[in-house]
Amino acid sequence: GVAQAQKLSAAELGTQVHTLLAGSVVPDVDGEALRLAEVFRQGALGRRAGEAKTAQREFDFLMAIEDLVIRGQVDLWFEDGGELVVVDYKTDAVSAADAPAHAQDYALQLRLYAMAVEQITGRVPDRAWLHFLRPDVEVEVALGSAVIDDVRSLVREFQAAQSELVFPLAVSERCHRCEFYHGL
């Protein structure tokens, strides 16, 4: 049934939504998880994915960039009308107005997903989207050779920091939203 004795944590809600959108059954599913999954299915990207000739959900990948092995899971990628599309859905509690700014927090993640899909399909995805389900806002993330080069540069910076054990704090807007920021 659709019942929960206690309110789900943000992580549990996200897991339920992703499980539903992967096509699996969630025992004792939360009503909010059902609602958010339906928001995606009824949206433009969800409808396109549902009609696509090729679609992969909860797609696991393992790839190497500059000798760094990266493992992850793409929420969804599909091919529709000759266009290859990568989608990541978010259950973050953001407003419609704040969604574009929050999308920047996830841009690197989407670009890594695009690189993983390219390795599987042999072509760079045409588009990458974040769908913030609570405000029902879709935000496109730029792809292309320049941004992929930026990803490779970031990986090199990470490897240099790892080998030198130097991790300078780079404070940004997202730091102020983090519960650990003031405890550093």
Side-chain angles (χ1 to χ4, degrees):
V2 179
Q4 282 292 3
Q6 301 174 5
K7 185 175 167 128
L8 293 181
S9 71
E12 291 167 331
L13 178 66
T15 298
Q16 284 196 6
V17 171
H18 282 77
T19 302
L20 290 167
L21 290 173
S24 297
V25 173
V26 176
D28 297 320
V29 67
D30 184 78
E32 180 66 356
L34 284 172
R35 186 187 75 76
L36 293 175
E38 197 57 26
V39 164
F40 180 75
R41 288 188 191 109
Q42 296 302 317
L45 291 169
R47 288 192 316 271
R48 282 187 71 193
E51 298 170 2
K53 70 175 186 176
T54 302
Q56 293 287 324
R57 290 170 176 80
E58 301 300 317
F59 179 78
D60 292 313
F61 69 87
L62 185 70
M63 68 177 173
I65 302 174
E66 304 284 330
D67 296 326
L68 179 69
V69 176
I70 298 172
R71 189 180 122 218
Q73 188 174 69
V74 180
D75 288 349
L76 168 68
W77 66 266
F78 64 89
E79 186 172 358
D80 178 51
E83 188 174 63
L84 189 57
V85 181
V86 176
V87 180
D88 194 53
Y89 10 88
K90 298 295 182 191
T91 56
D92 301 21
V94 300
S95 68
D98 290 340
H102 279 268
Q104 296 313 305
D105 294 347
Y106 295 109
L108 175 60
Q109 178 184 359
L110 262 288
R111 290 170 181 148
L112 287 168
Y113 290 175
M115 292 173 78
V117 170
E118 177 186 10
Q119 286 191 351
I120 297 303
T121 64
R123 64 182 263 223
V124 177
D126 299 289
R127 304 185 76 176
W129 292 91
L130 283 160
H131 189 162
F132 291 92
L133 299 175
R134 287 178 194 250
D136 193 12
V137 173
E138 297 170 350
V139 180
E140 186 168 12
V141 173
L143 298 177
S145 58
V147 294
I148 298 305
D149 287 343
D150 287 346
V151 171
R152 293 185 195 288
S153 293
L154 281 171
V155 167
R156 282 192 292 274
E157 287 175 28
F158 173 76
Q159 288 175 310
Q162 282 286 104
S163 65
E164 298 165 15
L165 296 178
V166 176
F167 304 99
L169 185 61
V171 178
S172 70
E173 180 60 34
R174 76 183 125 197
C175 294
H176 300 283
R177 297 190 303 263
C178 177
E179 63 184 291
F180 301 107
Y181 175 59
H182 295 290
L184 290 175

